[in-house]
Amino acid sequence: MADDDVDLELLREAARDFLSGRVAQDSVKELAAMDWTGLLVEEKLGGSGWRPVETTVIAEELGRALNSSTWFGCVLSAAALASAPGEVRDRWLPAMLDGTAAAGCTLADDTVRVASGNVIDILVTLGRNGISLFEMSDAMPRSRDDELLDVSRAAWRVDLSGSASVLIGGPEQADRLLAVARVLLSADSLGALSTTFERLVAYLKERIAFGVPIASFQAVQHRLVDLLVFEAKARAVIMKAARALEADEISEDAIALSAAAHAFVAAKAAAAVDECMQLSGGIGFTWEYPLHHELRRVFTNGYLLGTARSSRALLAQRSGW
């Protein structure tokens, strides 16, 4: 195993240990104390440098823990603020890095959907015209979006029409950050699926039918292998996209790989969790069972930054198909 792979596994183990059994999962301050909100901010501004690979590992572990904090919005907003005008950067970047303020990040539109378990202070939008920052106020119309069913994070619809914003990045920076965001959301879904699959395997080893563990049945084993293969494929394409984003300048290949990762995971992750539900038998259909929390999170992730279909279209465009 290469040295960098060893380091990533150590990071994964440390993150899993830190998140295991935590009560205050919704506190972004605790994650900021681990330097997890500055993983995409250069060191001279107080961050850890541009580290999309390490950020992806953290995103997967947060998805595995069903973390409800505003980390996703904060880490992306911090990256956007790093290149913002000095006055805006100095006001908000330190608060992102130490977790004293919360942020959301989404696609640019008049009405946006933000997944966050907490009230946010700023909202960063990514679009064709670049990166815009909105300072949230009580005057902004917003409502809880219960259609997505995510119980680990509240989903909100916010009306931005007529609201003042500050342009803090150009189109190229928006493309790069959106590519990273797709990878992080995909990693979050992978983490949720990973813990679902792990719980399923343990259950099938213990559940007895006809005098033997259910996991010993060949038909069940084939379905478990299919799930394992999907998990391995998803992690491979996500990490390949993350490594492509490490370069100082964004490339067409990096954007295409991020779109491929998002399209693959968004299209198949919810179905994979549903397969875990089928293999879990009766307990799998109980809404209070943790599996349903993971299913709702994965389903929500598949729509927050576009869909599998929109990512396929982007992949075709960037690949010249």
Side-chain angles (χ1 to χ4, degrees), residues 23-80:
V23 177
Q25 283 199 56
D26 59 348
S27 174
V28 74
K29 287 185 179 180
E30 293 188 347
L31 306 185
M34 298 288 288
D35 293 331
W36 289 355
T37 54
L39 287 168
L40 299 175
V41 177
E42 53 189 301
E43 293 182 39
K44 68 179 182 180
L45 294 176
S48 303
W50 179 257
R51 298 181 178 276
V53 174
E54 289 82 354
T55 312
T56 299
V57 171
I58 297 300
E60 182 180 338
E61 291 306 313
L62 290 172
R64 181 184 179 88
L66 292 186
N67 184 270
S68 61
S69 74
T70 55
W71 176 84
F72 177 78
C74 287
V75 72
L76 292 171
S77 296

